[in-house]
């Protein structure tokens, strides 16, 4: 069971440990302490373990036979951090007493205490010299020579790229082989199915995903992890397969809000904005049922009703927010805009591989695109400009929106990745949103709670998310 694994939730809060971590680090040139020299300052305290633990991973020895893995424990500001480091073989006990070696650990401060920042990518994102199949069979031999901008920025910051994760076909609905880590008979969601499953099953602390409708929020909710879609345009999308460029957004999945904040700063190439404590009793929270409430399963309805009652009993200002007309407008505009742009974005595939495309794709968003003329597309874009202002005005009187992340728990079976009806509005209008694994349903599967903030207020959204997790 996932809850029995002793991995930490956060790479900021502690050591990231996985069976092949040493091999990955050796292959990628990680664990070089000179990378951290600019972040050293006065030492707090440092303690080295008396026992040296050799990592039995044979791949690590093949990659780097002259080194072994040692376990180091640091105590900084009252918090204990354990770290696996690469040290020369021979006489490790003597080496661990070496003053030069010890000095390299002194004064490490967050987030650099956390050891390597390790991440994986959904298969819609280019990584140099790594196969990128876009969730299809006909691109199995596609090996980009160039990193996507987000990958390049992450690598430059010291992140270790450890692999690709399964995506649905061209980021649409036809599923891959990924199953839900909580129960293999249930869908992990999509399109970023592999990313959500990798984070949930402790394969990686952070994964990239993409969202045009609900492809980050919904799989994160189904797999019980934190999924974050930033304000539209915050993260660069070059090197990512376009789906609907007016809506497409690169997102993140992790097991902690702190890691989301860390990777947000990395991708923005800006200083880390630390999570700040907020008093939720001083903000106005709007609960949005949407016009799709009747399509929501009983477990989700009961979980949210109970949660809202708890919030109100704690003196939080929670009101029912009725914006059904705006959500219905969003649904209609999203259908036209995403369909029209998707048809254009996959022109090469529909002209050259049409017979190899799934029925879900051909009869889904691609077919939607064939129904929209350029004139209607331009009118839809104009209407979207008006709608964005209307959505923004909602936040004049509401600081935060709470709404389901999905209609319920993950669905049984792998054929259908679930409905994005609770995500469409926020994807179309570019609002930042985050799903938190706050509830469980009748089948003991996770149910996500989605928080939505005003466009551009991502840092505050992360503050709210952390506060909700601490309730």
């Amino acid at each position: 069971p996932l809850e029995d694994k002793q991995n930490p939730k956060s790479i900021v809060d502690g050591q990231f440990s996985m069976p092949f971590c040493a091999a990955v680090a050796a292959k990628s040139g990680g664990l070089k302490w000179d990378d951290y020299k600019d972040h050293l300052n006065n030492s707090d305290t440092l303690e080295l373990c008396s026992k040296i633990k050799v990592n039995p991973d044979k791949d690590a020895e093949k990659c780097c036979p002259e080194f072994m893995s040692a376990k180091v424990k640091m105590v900084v500001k009252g918090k204990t951090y354990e770290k696996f480091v690469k040290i020369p073989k021979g006489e490790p006990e003597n080496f661990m007493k070496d003053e030069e070696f010890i000095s390299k650990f002194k004064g490490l401060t967050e987030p650099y205490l956390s050891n390597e920042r390790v991440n994986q990518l959904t298969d819609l994102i280019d990584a140099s010299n790594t196969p990128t199949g876009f969730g299809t069979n006909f691109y199995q031999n596609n090996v980009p020579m160039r990193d996507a901008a987000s990958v390049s920025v992450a690598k430059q910051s010291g992140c270790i790229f450890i692999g690709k994760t399964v995506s649905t076909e061209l980021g649409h609905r036809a599923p891959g082989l990924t199953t839900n880590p909580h129960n293999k008979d249930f869908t992990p969601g999509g399109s970023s199915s592999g990313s959500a499953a990798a984070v949930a099953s402790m394969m990686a602390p952070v994964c990239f995903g993409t969202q045009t409708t609900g492809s980050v929020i919904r799989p994160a909710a189904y797999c019980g992890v934190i999924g974050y879609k930033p304000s539209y345009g915050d993260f660069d999308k070059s090197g990512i397969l376009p789906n609907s460029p007016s809506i497409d957004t690169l997102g993140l999945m992790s097991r902690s809000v702190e890691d989301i904040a860390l990777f947000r700063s990395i991708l923005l190439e800006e200083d880390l904005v630390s999570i700040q404590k907020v008093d939720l009793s001083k903000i106005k929270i709007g609960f949005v049922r949407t016009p799709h409430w009747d399509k929501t399963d009983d477990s989700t309805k009961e979980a949210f009703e109970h949660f809202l009652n708890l919030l109100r009993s704690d003196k939080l200002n929670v009101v029912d927010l009725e914006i059904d007309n705006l959500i219905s407008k969003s649904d209609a505009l999203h259908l036209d805009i995403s369909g029209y742009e998707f048809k254009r974005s996959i022109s090469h595939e529909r002209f050259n591989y049409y017979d190899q495309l799934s029925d879900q794709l051909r009869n889904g968003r691609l077919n939607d695109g064939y129904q929209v003329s350029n004139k209607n597309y331009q009118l839809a874009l104009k209407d979207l400009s008006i709608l964005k202002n209307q959505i923004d005005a909602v936040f004049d009187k509401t600081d935060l929106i709470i709404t389901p992340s999905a209609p319920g728990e993950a669905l049984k079976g792998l054929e259908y990745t679930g409905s994005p009806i609770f995500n469409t509005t926020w994807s179309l209008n570019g609002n930042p949103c985050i799903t938190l694994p706050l509830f469980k349903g009748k089948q003991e599967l996770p149910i996500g709670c989605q928080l939505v903030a005003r466009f551009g207020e991502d840092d505050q959204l992360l503050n709210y998310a952390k506060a909700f997790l601490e309730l």
Side-chain angles (χ1 to χ4, degrees), residues 2 5 7-9 16 18 118-121 165 178 181-182 192-209 219-220 223-227 252-256 259-260:
L2 295 181
K5 296 193 177 183
N7 300 64
K9 289 185 176 181
F16 166 58
M18 53 196 297
V118 187
N119 68 311
Q120 294 181 328
L121 316 172
T165 59
T178 308
H182 296 270
S192 304
S193 48
S195 292
V199 172
S201 57
M202 310 294 178
M203 293 182 184
V206 176
C207 282
F208 291 177
C223 293
V225 300
I226 297 172
L252 300 168
M253 298 185 194
S254 186
R255 296 186 292 275
S256 78
D259 287 351
I260 297 292

Side-chain angles (χ1 to χ4, degrees), residues 284 321 388-401 431 453-455 457:
K284 188 171 183 179
L321 183 61
K388 285 185 175 182
N389 289 328
Q390 293 172 328
I391 289 289
D392 193 69
V394 171
F395 291 95
D396 289 341
K397 297 181 179 179
T398 302
D399 298 296
L400 181 70
I401 284 175
N431 293 80
R454 186 177 228 147
F455 180 88
E457 294 190 355

Side-chain angles (χ1 to χ4, degrees), residues 313-330:
S313 67
D314 285 342
K315 309 301 182 185
L316 270 64
N317 184 8
V318 182
V319 300
D320 287 322
L321 183 61
E322 201 281 309
I323 54 171
D324 285 4
N325 62 324
L326 298 181
I327 291 174
S328 295
K329 286 181 182 178
S330 296

Side-chain angles (χ1 to χ4, degrees), residues 134-236:
F134 305 124
T136 69
N137 293 324
F138 48 83
Y139 279 133
Q140 286 184 338
N141 297 320
N142 175 47
V143 181
M145 297 299 294
R146 182 175 182 269
D147 282 330
S150 54
V151 179
S152 185
V153 168
K155 286 181 177 179
Q156 183 64 26
S157 77
C159 297
I160 297 175
F161 162 61
I162 61 174
K164 304 295 284 292
T165 59
V166 171
S167 166
T168 59
E169 176 195 33
L170 300 178
H172 190 245
R173 295 178 181 174
L177 299 176
T178 308
T179 63
N180 193 306
H182 296 270
N183 188 322
K184 63 182 178 61
D185 296 326
F186 289 75
T187 180
S191 64
S192 304
S193 48
S195 292
V199 172
S201 57
M202 310 294 178
M203 293 182 184
V206 176
C207 282
F208 291 177
T210 59
Q211 178 158 316
T212 303
T213 313
S215 294
V216 169
I217 298 298
R218 188 174 74 263
Y222 281 175
C223 293
V225 300
I226 297 172
Y228 163 65
K229 182 197 78 69
S231 293
Y232 176 78
D234 270 9
F235 299 160
D236 190 273

Side-chain angles (χ1 to χ4, degrees), residues 19 23 55-64:
N55 192 308
D57 195 314
K58 299 301 181 183
D59 287 337
E61 292 188 11
K62 291 177 183 177
C63 297
C64 210

